[in-house]
Structures are given as structure tokens and as C-alpha cells.
């Protein structure tokens, strides 16, 4: 098996609600994968099943090198959405405790904990009680404790969602480094983060897999040419927009507040014809953009459609 | 060092940092010491506090030293079990509800080791507190009231420790099975009261019930040891093991937030 983790028809029902309804995917070693979806899509439920905190009600999870029925915990590093520590411990104590639980000797645990705290930028606060940590510091300590045993797969649930822009930037920079060293799976509803960091995406909606693949592949397959036209607010131009019917090249026509948006099949033809038309009719153009659909457009389409 | 030991040391550290390691023994000591002292001074206390007409003579039979220690154990049976409940009603459920347990249990450790470490930490604290308090009571009893038969006193202590272990194990199991600490305390104490009530109402039908344990402990001190003493102790140990097993069973299947 080449996949580090393979989920087949993974299902979780709470009573009569299907939180996750039979999703299948592979996590390849060395890749960084984003689990995307709107709130309530089943991201956290999926991640909790992968981490072994929830029992799937159906389907199969297999980890490379782990026999069925065996615990995969030694392969995994896990950081929940809102990590909760023992507030009475100091950051260093917690990191050492986590390392000892993973089977490191006392000396190894201390050096590994110190190295990781240094790396996540918590050295100065290492001897303070965790109860006094800020959200960003807790998130970074969470990363450190997830990494103590050099896990093969790092599973992060919404690692940056609750952070302010600065904290978010710091954690994203850390993740960028980490993905060089290990396989990372993280959930997010922020598309921008996924686009910046990941190789692969899994988009789920209502507990079902809506789209999966590598970012490049998805972008190429679903890339559409989009023309955005904004006009100034004069009556003539407004009138033109309302009556505009498009040409043979227009696949989709959307009227937006400031003008129109076109999805076109042939960009070159569209460019020539539209520019000519605009000039001919004397339209007051405020902004005219010939571009491509973003991942966000695709995401919106997939999750709402 | 085994994982169990690592978690156990963390539990003890937590008990120390939350001062449970301090106040539990203190409360037991206070309860234990006050029993012989109050008994000794009771006639004087009554004479000074009561609104008796002048010239009243208060004469009380001087209690036996064994009786005083048995009364101390009675105190521990009521207030002591309340305190055990207070100390351990959230042992697992609070960590589970906060999410701290999720972060620990995704590590490569077994869930039974996690639970057993909590259980043994509880036993150490409960036995330690009980022993300290009991020794205090013993010391003042022999000082103020009279010598106590050492073998009997130790036997009583061990039997009573088993009874508190049953209650403590019920508490830990309650905190595994129930999400709310108050509900766990209520059910565990309720079961303990049920056990001892049924045992005292139906002494012959339930001669082997673990609910006889507190009575048996007093029996050692008062010199009236029931015939079924051995069976009661075995029943107590079996019940503790069974409750613990139920807790581990549930812990293994528990879904975590």
C-alpha cells in the first residue's frame, strides 16, 4: 500500500444524523493535505475518527504498517481545534510529559521538549503555567506536543481559525516548515490557507466527498475564463448592462451590483468582441478584468451547489 | 518506566498542586483527633455549656478506648466519604469535558493505564489520609482514654480502608460513566449508602454484603467480630475489582470530544 492512510467509505452517524456519510480518500506520504468544507460539513468528525477518538459506525481506516485492530497512535500527532492542557502545568512540563507518554526516556524527553519549544518560539514562556498562555501560545504548544515523537502523520483541526492575524501568520510559517519533514493533514474553512500550503485538497459537504485531488489538477480541470466588468453609475451604462445579452462565447452571465460577470468559452473572441462593443456603445467602464476563476470560486460552487 | 507510572506521577503532582494532597489528610486528621478529645472533655463541656441548675451532677460512663476509635471510623464513614466524593467526582469527566483527555489519549498509551493511574493515585491519597487521621485518633485515645489493642486497631483500619476503596472506586467509575461530576458523586454516594443501609437492615440475609465492611471494622474494635468476616472482606475486594473492571470497559469504548 503506497498510501500512509486510506479511508474507505468512512461513516459516522450520531443517532439518526449522518455526520460523515461514506467518504473515501488516501493520504500519500510526504504530502500536505487540506480538508476543506463549510462549518458543519463533518471535518472535525472525520478528523476525530482519524485520530481514534471516535469509532466509525461504518467503513474502514487503514494506516501503513499498522495491522487492523492495532492502535495507530504512535504514528500520529494530533492537535484539536481548541487544545486544552493541564493549566497547572508549565509549558515545559507538558511537553516533557507528552514526550514521556510517547515512550521517550527522561533525558530524551527533556532535550526533545526544549528543542521543540525553542522551535515554536515558546522558550521564554516555557516555565510559566499554561493557564496564563494566550490562544496563539496554546496553539504553538499544541504543535510542540504533537511533534514530540516525530509522528509520520500530523493531524491538525482548524489550526489557525481561532487566531489573530499575527498568531495565524506564525502558525502558518511553522506549518510551512513542518510539511517539509512530515505528512500533514489539516482542516480549515479558510481557502487561502489551503491554497498557500497544500498539495492536495479534500472538499467535503454535508458529510460527503464533494471534490478531491491535487490543487494543480483541480485548478486546471476546473479553470474557467472569467470577465468582470464594472461600470460607472450613469444611466446609459446601466441600461446597457441590463439589456446586454452576450454572444456565442458566453457560457454564464451574472449581473452583479456594479456591472456584469461573464464566464466565457473563448477568451480571445470574447476580448475582441466585448471591447469593440463597449467602445461602440460608449460605455463608461470603471474596471474590466480578463482573468481566471480562483479556487475560492470553485469552492463556493462545490459547497453550495 | 512504564506509562502507567508516568501518568501516576503526573496525577500525584496534580493532587499536590491542587492542594488535595494537603487538605484531605488535614480533614481526616482533624476529624480523627477531635473524636477522643471531645469524648474526654464531654462532661466538662456539658457542665459549662448547658443551662443546668446549680448543683447538677453529670455522670457519664467512661467509654472504652475501642469505642472511641469505632466512633472515629463512623465519622470517616460519613464525612470521609463525602470528602472522597468531593475530591474525585470529576477525576475523568472533567478532563474529558475540557478536552485535556483527548490530547493525552491520542498518544500511544493504553486507556486502561490512564484509568488505573488515576485509580491508584486516588487509593494512595485516600489510604494515606485515612491512616494519618486514624493514627492521630489512636494517639489521643491512648493518651486520654486508654490503651488500644494494636492488632485489633490495625485490622479495623485495613477493613475500613477497603470500604473507602469501594467508595473511591465507585467515584472514579462514576466519573467515567457520567459526564457530570455532581451526578457521579450523587450516584456513587447513593450506592454506598444503599449498600450500608441494606446491610444493616438485613444483617442475616446480606451477611456477606460489602456493606457490612464499616460494621466489621467497628466489630474489630468492639470485640464483636461476625462469623462471615472473611467473606465480607472478599466480597469487598471482588466488588472493587468489578467496579474497576466496569470503568475500564467503558473507558476503552469511550468517545472523546
Amino acid at each position: 500500500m503506497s498510501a500512509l492512510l486510506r479511508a474507505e467509505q468512512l461513516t459516522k452517524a450520531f443517532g439518526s444524523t449522518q455526520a460523515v456519510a461514506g467518504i473515501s480518500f488516501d493520504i500519500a506520504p510526504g504530502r500536505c493535505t487540506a480538508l476543506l468544507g463549510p462549518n458543519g460539513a463533518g471535518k472535525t468528525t472525520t478528523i476525530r475518527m482519524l485520530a481514534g477518538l471516535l469509532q466509525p459506525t461504518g467503513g474502514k481506516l487503514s494506516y501503513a504498517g499498522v495491522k487492523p485492530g492495532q492502535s495507530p497512535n504512535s504514528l500520529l500527532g494530533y492537535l484539536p481545534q481548541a487544545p486544552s492542557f493541564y493549566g497547572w502545568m508549565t509549558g515545559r512540563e507538558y511537553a516533557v510529559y507528552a514526550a514521556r507518554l510517547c515512550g521517550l526516556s527522561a533525558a530524551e524527553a527533556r532535550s526533545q521538549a526544549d528543542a521543540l519549544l525553542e522551535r515554536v518560539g515558546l522558550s521564554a514562556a516555557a516555565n510559566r503555567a499554561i493557564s496564563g498562555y494566550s490562544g496563539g501560545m496554546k496553539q504553538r504548544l499544541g504543535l510542540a506536543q504533537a511533534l514530540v515523537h516525530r509522528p509520520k502523520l500530523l493531524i491538525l483541526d482548524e489550526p489557525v481559525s481561532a487566531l489573530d492575524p499575527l498568531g495565524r501568520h506564525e502558525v502558518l510559517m511553522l506549518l510551512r516548515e513542518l510539511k517539509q519533514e512530515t505528512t500533514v493533514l489539516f482542516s480549515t474553512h479558510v481557502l487561502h490557507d489551503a491554497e498557500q500550503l497544500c498539495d492536495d485538497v479534500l472538499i467535503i459537504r454535508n458529510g460527503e466527498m464533494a471534490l478531491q485531488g491535487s490543487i494543480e489538477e483541480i485548478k486546471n480541470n476546473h479553470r474557467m475564463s472569467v470577465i468582470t466588468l464594472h461600470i460607472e453609475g450613469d444611466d446609459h451604462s446601466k441600461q446597457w448592462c441590463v439589456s446586454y445579452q452576450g454572444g456565442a462565447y458566453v457560457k454564464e452571465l451574472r449581473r452583479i451590483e456594479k456591472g456584469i460577470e461573464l464566464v466565457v468559452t473563448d477568451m480571445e473572441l470574447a476580448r475582441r468582441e466585448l471591447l469593440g462593443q463597449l467602445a461602440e456603445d460608449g460605455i463608461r467602464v470603471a474596471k474590466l478584468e480578463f482573468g481566471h476563476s480562483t479556487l475560492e470560486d470553485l469552492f463556493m460552487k462545490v459547497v453550495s451547489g | 518506566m512504564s506509562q502507567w507510572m508516568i501518568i501516576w506521577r503526573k496525577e500525584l503532582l496534580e493532587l499536590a498542586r491542587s492542594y488535595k494532597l494537603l487538605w484531605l489528610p488535614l480533614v481526616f486528621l482533624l476529624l480523627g483527633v477531635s473524636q477522643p478529645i471531645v469524648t474526654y472533655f464531654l462532661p466538662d463541656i456539658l457542665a459549662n455549656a448547658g443551662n443546668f441548675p446549680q448543683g447538677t451532677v453529670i455522670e457519664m460512663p467512661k467509654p472504652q478506648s475501642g469505642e472511641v476509635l469505632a466512633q472515629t471510623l463512623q465519622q470517616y464513614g460519613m464525612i470521609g466519604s463525602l470528602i472522597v466524593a468531593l475530591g474525585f467526582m470529576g477525576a475523568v469527566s472533567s478532563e474529558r469535558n475540557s478536552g485535556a483527555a483527548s490530547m493525552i489519549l491520542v498518544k500511544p498509551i493504553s486507556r486502561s493505564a490512564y484509568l488505573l493511574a488515576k485509580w491508584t493515585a486516588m487509593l494512595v491519597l485516600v489510604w494515606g489520609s485515612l491512616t494519618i487521621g486514624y493514627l492521630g485518633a489512636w494517639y489521643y485515645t491512648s493518651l486520654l482514654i486508654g490503651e488500644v489493642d494494636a492488632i485489633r486497631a490495625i485490622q479495623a483500619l485495613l477493613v475500613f480502608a477497603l470500604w473507602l476503596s469501594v467508595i473511591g472506586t465507585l467515584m472514579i467509575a462514576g466519573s467515567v460513566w457520567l459526564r457530570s461530576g455532581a451526578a457521579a458523586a450523587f450516584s456513587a454516594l447513593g450506592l454506598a449508602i444503599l449498600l450500608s443501609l441494606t446491610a444493616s437492615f438485613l444483617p442475616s440475609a446480606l451477611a456477606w454484603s460489602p456493606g457490612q465492611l464499616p460494621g466489621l471494622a467497628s466489630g474489630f474494635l468492639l470485640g464483636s467480630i461476625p462469623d462471615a468476616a472473611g467473606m465480607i472482606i472478599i466480597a469487598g475486594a471482588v466488588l472493587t475489582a468489578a467496579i474497576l473492571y466496569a470503568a475500564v470497559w467503558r473507558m476503552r469504548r469511550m468517545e472523546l470530544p
Side-chain angles (χ1 to χ4, degrees), chain A residues 12 48 51-55 73-74 78 80 83-86 88-89 93-94 97-98 100-102 145-146, chain B residues 1 3 6-7 10 13-14 17 95 98-100 102-109 111 114 254-257:
Chain A
K12 179 72 193 181
R48 282 167 63 203
L53 295 170
L54 282 184
Q55 281 301 316
N73 285 7
S74 55
Y78 168 68
S84 171
F85 304 93
Y86 300 117
W88 52 270
M89 276 191 181
E93 279 171 339
Y94 194 90
Y97 181 51
R100 298 294 323 263
L101 287 181
C102 294
Q145 64 83 33
Chain B
M1 208 190 311
Q3 293 170 332
I6 294 162
I7 306 175
K10 172 256 159 195
L13 189 64
E14 179 163 13
R17 297 249 175 108
E95 282 197 13
S98 76
S102 309
M103 308 221 2
I104 295 304
L105 292 173
V106 293
K107 305 271 179 250
I109 60 166
R111 291 189 177 194
Y114 171 85
M254 187 191 266
E255 308 222 306
L256 293 155

